[in-house]
Each structure stands twice: as structure tokens, then as C-alpha cells.
Amino acid sequence: MSDAPHIVDFGKKIVVITAPSGAGKTTIVKKLLLQHKHFGFSISCTTREKRANEVDGKDYYFISESEFRQKIQNNEFAEYEEVYPGKFYGTLKSEIERLWRDRKVAVFDIDVKGAVNLQKLYDENCLTVFIKPASKEVLLNRLKGRNTENADTLKKRIKRAEEELQYEPKFKKVVPNADFDIAYMNVKNCINAFLKSNSPAVHH
Ligand code: 5GP
């Protein structure tokens, strides 16, 4: 899909890319956002530590656990999860509104449980795409090769990735990720078909 000079109104749409941690979804989401100006990244809140290459307010809103709990109390989240013990991740309702105000299709990179919740909430306005790793071995090797984790965190991530693999049947689309370019093209095709079939109007 190219960014044509006319205005395209996709309405209030969300596209959720989900997968077990380490399946390559973040790389796919980053490329989608680079190539399509009408996609906007839904920046999540998290209580985990910022990694060296990450920017606050771009990759995540890094907040304290007490701030996170306050936002839960205030009902500010569309969804949130304790993805790892003591590490909270969540999507603010205001974030989705911000993207829609800017006429963006809101694009998410979130865990499988959050994706299931968004699918329930937004129903036909929501496309969920599950990125399926080539094999469990490939997934575990990717997690091990990340080097951002200590042994304990890595163990938790592996356990969780194994559970997350079981969620595959819950999503609208499943895209295998044995080859990045093919997976990326397949994800794009799924999104194009969803936006075409579901958009209220295209103004020329
Ligand atoms: P990481 O710590 O590697 O950035 O992310 C860990 C997991 O949390 C990933 O699967 C990521 O997609 C997921 N995640 C990121 N933001 C959110 C969110 O807002 N809600 C939920 N439920 N999961 C999220």
C-alpha cells in the first residue's frame, strides 16, 4: 500500500501484531510504521527497565509501578497485563484516541493476552495477526541470543513463550515467520485486505 496524495479515511481501526516474545513481531511492526505514514504506533506504558537502545515516549512510556497502579485505579487502560512477574504493560485509552484523532490506523505490538482483550473490545474494527515462529527451537534460540536478559529473566521469558505459542488459534490471521520478507509481505496483505473490506469511505 502506498501513501497516495488523497485523504484516506480508514475510520477507527486497530491492527494488533502479536506473537510469543522472540518471534520477530517488533521488527515487522517497525518496518510497517516506516513504510506507511497512515499507521501510528500505539506506545504502551510499562514498568520494566528501559533498555539502552530505547527512548521514553517513543518505544514505551516508562513509568513506575505506583504510577501504573494509579492509572489502573483511574480506569485509564484499554487493556493491561502483568506480562512478567512484577512487570506491567498496558495500552492507555488516550493513546488509541490520540492516534485516531490523527487519522492513523493504530498499530500494536503486544502480548497474546492483551491481543485477545483488544480483539474482544474492538471486534470487527480490530485485526489480530499472530506471528508464528518457524519452530520452538528457533524461538528459544532467539530469546537466548538477545543478551538483554539475565539468566533468571531469560528462564521466565522462555516459560512464557512456550505458553504463548498455545494462543495461536485465538487470532484472526496467522503468519509464519520462517523468512522475514515473506512474513512481512503476508502481514501487509492481511492488513490491506482488512482495511479495504472495512473502511467507511475513501475521499479522492
Ligand atoms: P518487551 O519487554 O520485550 O518490550 O515486551 C514484552 C512483551 O510485552 C512483548 O510480547 C510485548 O509485545 C508485550 N507488550 C508490550 N506492550 C504491551 C501492552 O501494552 N500490553 C500488553 N498486554 N503487552 C504488551
Side-chain angles (χ1 to χ4, degrees):
M1 194 188 312
S2 70
D3 284 308
H6 58 261
I7 297 165
V8 180
D9 179 5
F10 292 109
K12 296 182 168 185
K13 292 289 179 301
I14 77 173
V15 170
V16 178
I17 310 296
T18 189
S21 183
K25 66 180 182 303
T26 304
T27 320
I28 290 179
V29 168
K30 288 209 163 130
K31 187 161 179 186
L32 282 171
L33 290 157
L34 266 179
Q35 293 209 329
H36 303 287
K37 289 196 186 71
H38 54 284
F39 292 167
F41 182 55
S42 168
I43 304 166
S44 299
C45 289
T46 184
T47 64
R48 82 146 159 75
E49 303 71 28
K50 190 167 85 62
R51 295 177 187 142
N53 58 339
E54 290 176 326
V55 178
D56 187 22
K58 182 167 171 272
D59 298 287
Y60 282 106
Y61 301 116
F62 293 95
I63 63 176
S64 68
E65 191 172 327
S66 63
E67 282 174 281
F68 201 101
R69 288 192 186 283
Q70 190 58 54
K71 290 185 188 299
I72 296 173
Q73 288 282 310
N74 298 345
N75 198 22
E76 289 180 53
F77 287 111
E79 65 77 36
Y80 70 90
E81 290 291 329
E82 189 175 359
V83 175
Y84 305 108
K87 307 292 177 204
F88 293 85
Y89 295 75
T91 305
L92 292 170
K93 293 175 188 167
S94 60
E95 182 66 11
I96 303 177
E97 292 299 332
R98 173 182 74 82
L99 294 168
W100 283 347
R101 228 182 5 254
D102 291 346
R103 289 181 175 231
K104 303 278 187 188
V105 173
V107 175
F108 290 72
D109 169 351
I110 66 172
D111 90 316
V112 290
K113 288 185 187 162
V116 167
N117 288 334
L118 289 178
Q119 190 168 258
K120 276 192 206 134
L121 263 178
Y122 295 100
D123 199 18
E124 77 264 23
N125 289 324
C126 169
L127 172 70
T128 46
V129 184
F130 181 84
I131 309 297
K132 185 180 176 157
S135 68
K136 198 162 130 183
E137 289 65 42
V138 170
L139 179 67
L140 300 188
N141 284 336
R142 274 189 64 134
L143 280 177
K144 285 176 194 155
R146 265 191 181 170
N147 275 336
T148 52
E149 324 295 346
N150 61 38
D152 186 44
T153 315
L154 179 62
K155 234 164 95 184
K156 285 181 194 154
R157 283 187 178 247
I158 288 175
K159 182 168 173 286
R160 188 170 170 102
E162 286 172 339
E163 289 165 14
E164 288 171 330
L165 281 172
Q166 312 300 318
Y167 276 68
E168 176 186 331
K170 297 186 188 294
F171 301 109
K172 292 183 183 168
K173 297 284 175 191
V174 175
V175 170
N177 189 13
D179 175 281
F180 176 81
D181 291 332
I182 295 174
Y184 179 72
M185 200 184 66
N186 284 334
V187 170
K188 246 172 59 168
N189 289 343
C190 290
I191 299 175
N192 285 349
F194 166 71
L195 293 177
K196 253 191 205 152
S197 68
N198 241 316
S199 295
V202 177
H203 307 294
H204 289 273

